[in-house]
């Protein structure tokens, strides 16, 4: 390996202090995809002229070198931003995990054995960054009205460089900053969120899917409607998500028994007049019962029959009254017939 080489040194102790490579940050933490500059300075004895400069990665003495001023094979990601006098800084673009490790600067002068390697080097740690989420309410899931903070995080012990981060939702730009605050969220806030560095490419974090649930509730306002013409009871209820199960109950002589498990209950022809019914609507958030209803089909049928009889009697009475002309009598008969038809439609629909 190359060591410290001095030439024409009549006073080695004095000259040795002039051969030097210094790294401003011996240890650096960098986010994958970003760019980093390894700040470096060097010195050498007077009257020497630097002819070649190079940077080594891991194998810092013998190479191969990631940058060599005397070669055209250096990767464009590694850019020497120093000079051949005293600045030896190196910039690395779009850092990758494979770039992790020690970097060291070496230079060669025009004198025999006049070369030096700053073996202490500068070590890079390459990390990813992700999104952490903090909910300001203790719901198991994110619900409408909650507040959520999304934060770009990495494993570097660095300050809050919020100005270099940018936020996206479903690929569309939202805002800059390390923290994205979502206040009083609604269903429209659902989506895929990523954060990225504003400079460079390939710096996007992993995707965090935010799913905002709508305001969910158990069944409410449960009621029963009756269709006499088909002898059917129908259960109605408001719920979100929708009602998953309906259960019908029959009450007879103070005894309750299950009567069906569909939204509609079709009654038998031989129903009993003293049967009462109610329904129960259920989803994952709860259940709710309707009020008890009498056997309204029998009641409605009886009322309808009674109304028909009353209407027929009224028609007959009207028909017995002779009017001064036959035209007036026909008009009365037509009106009464129309009333009868409307009553039948109302009570059997």
């Amino acid at each position: 390996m190359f060591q410290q080489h001095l030439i024409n040194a009549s006073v080695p102790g004095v000259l040795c202090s002039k051969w030097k490579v210094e790294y401003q940050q011996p240890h650096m933490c960098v986010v994958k995809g970003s760019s980093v500059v390894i700040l470096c300075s060097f010195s050498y004895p007077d009257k020497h002229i630097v002819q070649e400069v190079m940077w080594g990665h891991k194998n810092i003495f013998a190479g191969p070198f990631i940058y060599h001023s005397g070669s055209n094979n250096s990767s464009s990601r590694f850019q020497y931003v120093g000079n051949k006098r005293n600045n030896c800084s190196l910039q690395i673009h779009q850092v990758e995990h494979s770039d992790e490790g020690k970097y060291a600067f070496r230079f060669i002068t025009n004198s025999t054995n006049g070369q030096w390697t700053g073996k202490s080097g500068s070590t890079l740690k390459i990390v990813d960054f992700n999104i952490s989420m903090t909910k300001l309410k203790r719901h198991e899931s994110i619900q409408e009205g909650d507040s959520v903070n999304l934060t770009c995080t990495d494993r570097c012990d660095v300050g809050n460089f919020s100005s270099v981060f940018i936020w996206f939702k479903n690929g569309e730009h939202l805002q800059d900053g390390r923290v994205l605050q979502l206040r009083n969220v609604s269903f429209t806030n659902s989506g895929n969120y990523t954060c990225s560095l504003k400079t460079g490419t390939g710096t996007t974090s992993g995707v965090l899917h935010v799913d905002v649930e709508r305001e969910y509730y158990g069944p409410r306002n449960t009621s029963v409607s009756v269709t006499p013409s088909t002898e059917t009871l129908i259960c109605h209820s408001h719920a979100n998500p929708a009602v998953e199960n309906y259960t019908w109950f029959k009450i007879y002589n103070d005894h309750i028994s299950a009567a069906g498990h569909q939204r509609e209950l079709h009654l038998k022809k031989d129903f009993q007049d003293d049967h009462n019914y109610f329904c129960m609507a259920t989803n994952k958030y709860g259940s709710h019962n309707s009020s008890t209803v009498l056997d309204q089909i029998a009641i409605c049928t009886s009322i309808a029959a009674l109304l028909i009889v009353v209407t027929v009697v009224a028609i007959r009475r009207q028909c017995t009254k002779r009017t001064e002309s036959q035209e007036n009598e026909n008009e009365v008969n037509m009106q009464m017939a129309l009333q009868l038809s409307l009553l039948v439609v109302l009570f059997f629909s």
Side-chain angles (χ1 to χ4, degrees):
M1 295 188 300
F2 291 102
Q3 303 294 333
Q4 301 171 3
H5 297 285
L6 305 177
I7 60 172
N8 300 327
S10 58
V11 187
V14 175
L15 292 177
C16 183
S17 63
K18 294 185 179 181
W19 293 86
K20 185 185 301 183
V21 176
E22 293 182 328
Y23 305 94
Q24 183 171 323
Q25 294 178 279
H27 300 279
M28 303 177 67
C29 185
V30 185
V31 176
K32 178 182 177 296
S34 62
S35 296
V36 61
V37 176
I38 303 175
L39 297 176
C40 168
S41 61
F42 68 107
S43 58
Y44 46 90
D46 295 339
K47 298 183 180 179
H48 288 69
I49 299 174
V50 176
Q51 293 183 329
E52 296 181 41
V53 294
M54 58 205 77
W55 274 90
H57 179 214
K58 298 179 180 179
N59 190 354
I60 60 177
F61 293 104
F65 298 100
I66 58 172
Y67 175 80
H68 191 169
S69 61
S71 171
N72 294 324
N73 296 326
S74 300
S75 169
S76 59
R77 290 198 306 114
F78 300 97
Q79 180 182 1
Y80 188 68
V81 292
N83 50 46
K84 291 184 178 181
R85 295 183 300 276
N86 51 35
N87 184 354
C88 50
S89 299
L90 176 73
Q91 184 170 15
I92 306 175
H93 299 279
Q94 299 178 21
V95 295
E96 303 171 353
H97 284 292
S98 59
D99 296 330
E100 195 167 75
K102 178 185 281 190
Y103 291 79
F105 174 70
R106 173 174 171 75
F107 65 97
I108 299 175
T109 67
N110 60 339
S111 300
T112 304
N113 295 329
Q115 49 199 1
W116 188 270
T117 299
K119 60 182 180 180
S120 61
S122 182
T123 302
L124 295 187
K125 177 183 180 182
I126 313 300
V127 300
D128 294 309
F129 65 95
N130 297 298
I131 303 175
S132 64
M133 180 173 64
T134 304
K135 292 183 291 184
L136 304 185
K137 289 187 179 181
R138 296 183 179 180
H139 292 147
E140 182 177 349
S141 57
I142 303 175
Q143 299 182 9
E144 289 185 327
D146 286 352
S147 294
V148 177
N149 285 348
L150 305 182
T151 306
C152 265
T153 60
D154 57 54
R155 293 182 290 117
C156 291
D157 296 325
V158 296
N160 183 4
F161 300 108
S162 60
S163 61
V164 302
F165 287 93
I166 186 169
W167 282 94
F168 298 90
K169 175 191 172 187
N170 299 331
E172 295 185 3
H173 172 244
L174 290 178
Q175 67 176 52
D176 297 349
R178 180 179 286 270
V179 179
L180 176 64
Q181 297 180 335
L182 303 177
R183 294 287 181 263
N184 191 27
V185 297
S186 67
F187 181 75
T188 58
N189 292 114
S190 298
N192 295 322
Y193 288 81
T194 57
C195 59
S196 175
L197 294 177
K198 293 179 68 175
T199 57
T201 58
T203 59
T204 302
S205 69
V207 175
L208 176 66
H209 179 70
V210 175
D211 184 16
V212 181
E213 294 184 348
R214 294 183 184 272
E215 182 184 1
Y216 291 143
Y217 53 87
R220 305 172 180 172
N221 303 323
T222 306
S223 62
V224 175
S225 66
V226 181
T227 306
S229 61
T230 58
E231 300 178 2
T232 302
L233 303 180
I234 304 174
C235 189
H236 304 273
S237 187
H238 299 288
N240 187 22
V243 173
E244 298 172 357
N245 297 299
Y246 293 94
T247 304
W248 284 96
F249 297 93
K250 178 173 64 175
I251 305 175
Y252 180 64
N253 291 336
D254 296 328
H255 176 69
I256 300 177
S257 61
H261 297 280
Q262 301 295 326
R263 186 181 178 214
E264 297 184 358
L265 178 64
H266 300 281
L267 301 180
K268 296 181 179 179
K269 295 288 185 180
D270 57 345
F271 53 79
Q272 299 293 327
D273 292 348
D274 55 354
H275 282 177
N276 294 330
Y277 296 88
F278 68 91
C279 69
M280 180 175 67
T282 304
N283 68 6
K284 69 177 182 178
Y285 289 95
S287 300
H288 188 248
N289 295 341
S290 71
S291 59
T292 301
V293 294
L294 297 175
D295 198 339
Q296 298 182 35
I297 293 178
I299 295 173
C300 291
T301 303
S302 300
I303 294 175
L306 178 60
L307 288 173
I308 292 173
V309 171
V310 172
T311 303
V312 170
V313 171
I315 292 174
R316 288 180 176 178
R317 287 182 178 178
Q318 290 292 334
C319 290
T320 58
K321 294 181 180 180
R322 297 298 180 181
T323 59
E324 294 181 356
S325 66
Q326 187 63 35
E327 293 180 358
N328 291 337
E329 181 178 354
N330 291 337
E331 182 178 354
V332 170
N333 290 337
M334 291 180 63
Q335 291 178 352
M336 299 307 297
L338 179 59
Q339 292 177 5
L340 176 59
S341 300
L342 289 175
L343 286 172
V344 172
V345 171
L346 288 174
F347 285 96
F348 286 91
S349 61

